[in-house]
Amino acid sequence: MHLSKIEGEQIAITDSLEKDPEIESYIKPFRDNIQKDLDSVLAYSADTYTKTDGEFNTAIGNFMADAVFSESKPIFKSRTGHDIDMVLLNHGGIRSILSKGNVTKRTVFELMPFENSVVVAALKGTQIKKMIHYLADTKKAHPVSNFKLVIDQNFDVVEAKINGNEIYEDSIYYVATNDYLCNGGDNMSFFKPNDSVYVLNYKIRNVLMDKFMKLDTVKPVMDDRFIQVNR
């Protein structure tokens, strides 16, 4: 007895497939509960915001980075005794617009469909300098918080500060980001090597939900945290 042939056919999953009433009856209460939860309102967005609104910083990107900073900072402080110095996320991680009107849990899943979590990397000032040049060279509005970067028309660095202070090569800075970037995603190789990485077990999606629930109306703005000047 030997296997001589394997045959198969592709069956497309379309609306034309008949539903199994027994399976549908079993799934329906779970589906209805999930839909109800996803439609629960967290806040109200005063306008529509997208990741293409600005060249080097955007309102939605600023909001997300600031949310990671404010919501993760007390957790990190209580566990380590250290403060988060700054936040860096990635422009490509913003997967949807934030539309004017009610902000629901469904909105948050659309903004952040990935399972990325907050991690805090302890970086030396020399690595921060590499990060600065990465941001200047990529010319993208990667979301940052508690950090200021000014570049000129040639994309050379004019000013770079963390928490309003100069950056020193021998100092250690605690940078909150997501696990994907910390592992080198988006070519952010400056995260390695690092002195320590602290895993907060706090998903970016949950960060956003927690932040939205603390707000009545969301009005993020573009500012001067990452800009280009004529010089």
Side-chain angles (χ1 to χ4, degrees), residues 157-182:
V157 177
V158 175
E159 180 185 4
K161 292 184 177 181
I162 294 177
N163 196 29
N165 299 316
E166 298 293 334
I167 298 166
Y168 298 100
E169 292 189 355
D170 295 332
S171 297
I172 296 295
Y173 298 91
Y174 295 97
V175 181
T177 185
N178 65 53
D179 48 354
Y180 166 71
L181 299 181
C182 192

